[in-house]
Amino acid sequence: MNIQEKQQIQQAFQETMDYDELMNCTRCGFCLPSCPTYIETGRNEVHSPRGRIALMKGLVDGVIEPSQEVKDSIDMCLGCRACEPVCPSGVKFGRLLEQARDAIYQHKKQTLPEKLIKGIFFKNIFPYQNRMMGVTGLLSFYQRSGAQKLAQATGVMNLFPESMRSMEKVLPSVPKKSQMKDRPRHLQPLKLEKKKKVAFFSGCLMDTMFMHTNDATVKLLQYAGCEIVVPSLQACCGALHGHSGEMEQAREMAKRNIQAFEEVEVDYIISNAGGCGAFLVEYDHLLKNDSEWSTRAKRFCNKVKDITSILIELDFHKQPLSLDNQIVTYQDSCHLKNGQRTFMEPRQLLESIDGVHYVEMKDAGRCCGSAGIYNIVQSEMSMQILDYKMEQAQNTKAKTIVTANPGCLLQMKLGIEREGRSNEMEAVHIVDLLLQAYENVNVRSNLHDEAATYIRA
C-alpha cells in the first residue's frame, strides 16, 4: 500500500466503523473455538474474531496503520458469523466485517482477479436477470453441446487450478435459456385449501443455475397450502456485494427488492438460500441511515422467512413423506443458522421422512469453506476447511449430505468429488429431497386410486 492509500483507508475506518459495536467486544475469547480460520491457522489470534476486532479498533484509534497483514486478516475471514451466537456481549461481527471491507476495498488498488469478479459479475451481471440468463445459458450450451466432455477429454481443464477443475465437474445441469423465461408468476395451492399467501424471493443464481430447485420450492409451497406470487421486478439480494465491500451496490439491490415486494400483499417473503435470506433480513440495518427507506426496509425484513421455517409452521412434516432406506446427514448453512437463527427446522423435516435414518454430523454448524466467492479467492484455506468437513461427513456413513444453500451444495459436491466418493455419496438441497419424499408417497397414492377406480369400472 502506498502512503495515500493508507491515509484514505484509515480515514474510511474512522468514518465507517461502528465504534460502539467495536467496544462491545470484551476480548473474552468465547468466540475462538467457533472460528474456522483461527483453528486452521494453528490458533493464530490475527485470524480470530477478537483479533480482527482489535485490528479494526486499532485502525480507528490510530494505534496501527493499514497494512497487508491487516488486509490479509480481513480477507481470510469467511464471514460465517459462527462467533455471533456464542458471544456473551452479542457483538454483531458480520456487520463489522462488512464495514471493514467497505473501508478497505473502496480505497485499495484491486488485483486483476478482483477487478474481473467485481467489475464483470458484481456490477454488470448479477444485478440484471436477463444477463444472468444469458451467461448461464452459455454454460448450459457448454454442457449440452459436448464441449464439456471434449474439454475434459483433451486435457484443456488441466490448465486451471485443481479446485476449479473439480468444481467444473460438479456444476448442476443448467437449463436452457428458453426454459428460464416466461415462468409462472402467480400460483395457487395444490390439494389443500389456502393457508397462507406468500411471495417467493427467487434470487439470481438460484433462478438460473439452480432453477430446478426453485421450481421444487414453489411446488412444495403449493403442496403446503400456499398461494404464491413471484414478483418480476426483484433483483439479486446483494449479499455477495455486501460481503465483498461493495456496500453502495448492495443498498441499490436492497431498494429494488423492497420496492418489488411492496407491490404485493403477502404474509411472508420466502427464501430457499441461507445466504440470501440472512442478507434480506438485515436490509433494515443496511438502510438504517436512509430516512426514505429505513421504515420500508423494516416492514420487508419482518416478512422474510426461510422455506424450512414455513414448512414447519404449516405442518408439512406431518404429511406422509418417504424415501428409500438411507442414512442422511445435514450441513448447516452458516447464514441460515447464524444469521437467520434457523437450526432445528431442517432437522425436524429430515427426521420426519420415512426411510431416513438421520445422523448428526460433528461440527455440522462449522463453515464448509464456500462462503460466497471465498473458495475462489482463498482457495487454499477453503480446501483445508472442506477437508475437515468431509472427514466429519464420512464419519456419519451417510449416503446423502443435505444442505440449504447453493454455495454449500456446490462445496459439498466438490468435497465428494475430491474424496473420490461420487459413487457412494451425494449432496442435495433440502428442497429437492423433500419434494422427492412427498411425491414418492403422493404418486403411489394417485396410482392406487386410479387402479381402484379402473377395477370398480
Side-chain angles (χ1 to χ4, degrees), residues 1 37 60 132 147 176 272-273 318 357 359:
M1 297 182 190
T37 55
V60 175
M132 280 293 301
K176 299 177 185 177
N272 63 359
K318 295 179 181 179
H357 175 53
V359 178

Side-chain angles (χ1 to χ4, degrees), residues 55-72:
L55 292 175
M56 295 174 194
K57 185 174 181 296
L59 282 169
V60 175
D61 291 341
V63 177
I64 61 173
E65 290 186 349
S67 65
Q68 189 60 43
E69 183 182 24
V70 172
K71 182 179 181 296
D72 289 345

Side-chain angles (χ1 to χ4, degrees), residues 136-204:
T136 47
L138 290 174
L139 179 58
S140 174
F141 177 77
Y142 168 73
Q143 292 176 331
R144 292 181 294 104
S145 66
Q148 182 178 33
K149 292 181 179 178
L150 183 63
Q152 293 171 351
T154 57
V156 170
M157 293 306 302
N158 292 331
L159 299 173
F160 296 90
E162 180 188 353
S163 60
M164 290 188 69
R165 294 199 303 270
S166 299
M167 185 67 76
E168 187 262 354
K169 292 180 183 177
V170 301
L171 288 175
S173 180
V174 181
K176 299 177 185 177
K177 184 178 179 181
S178 59
Q179 294 175 297
M180 300 180 208
K181 293 184 175 181
D182 302 323
R183 289 154 65 212
R185 294 285 175 182
H186 194 175
L187 303 100
Q188 296 298 329
L190 292 171
K191 301 187 71 174
L192 295 175
E193 292 184 3
K194 185 174 81 172
K195 296 180 180 179
K196 297 288 181 182
K197 182 179 180 182
V198 302
F200 178 48
F201 181 81
S202 52
C204 50

